[in-house]
Amino acid sequence: AGDTVSSCEEVVLHVEPEDLKVLNAVAEDVDDAEKPEKEDDTEDSGPALAGGYNRGDAVTASRDLRVGGKVVVRANILGTVVGPSTQDPWKRITVAFSWREDGKSN
């Protein structure tokens, strides 16, 4: 239990909304994205998170993200919104990025 899969290094970070960009490339969801009034009606994603993000949103890092001064996620790396940050749920969100620059696991 607790083993990490080394072939797919993923990193989960608590980030501020300004550090992310939403991907609007998913064709089926484009219509929904243009209707913000629907946000309150989404049945499974829960309440909107800091910055208006929702669980499951595909995002990219808008800049290099650092932990302790070391870059762990480079700009434009793909991530998925997991939910509110446990550290600061009103100002930060938890995002699972598909690649960790330093090769470490959390």
Side-chain angles (χ1 to χ4, degrees):
D3 292 344
T4 56
V5 180
S6 59
S7 62
C8 179
E9 292 298 334
E10 187 178 78
V11 58
V12 177
L13 294 180
H14 302 274
V15 298
E16 295 177 8
E18 309 81 74
D19 294 338
L20 301 173
K21 290 185 285 196
V22 178
L23 294 182
N24 294 321
V26 183
E28 308 90 73
D29 294 337
V30 170
D31 289 341
D32 292 343
E34 294 170 1
K35 300 175 189 157
E37 69 272 9
K38 286 189 72 179
E39 247 176 53
D40 298 332
D41 280 343
T42 43
E43 52 292 331
D44 50 307
S45 63
L49 308 170
Y53 290 96
N54 291 292
R55 284 180 178 86
D57 280 353
V59 296
T60 59
S62 62
R63 63 181 180 90
D64 290 351
L65 302 178
R66 300 170 190 274
V67 174
K70 286 192 73 168
V71 174
V72 292
V73 174
R74 292 267 176 215
N76 301 315
I77 294 294
L78 181 64
T80 303
V81 175
V82 176
S85 169
T86 53
Q87 297 171 352
D88 189 351
W90 303 111
K91 293 185 181 165
R92 293 177 159 231
I93 52 181
T94 302
V95 179
F97 288 98
S98 56
W99 175 254
R100 183 165 180 147
E101 188 69 25
D102 60 8
K104 295 179 183 173
S105 58
N106 281 9

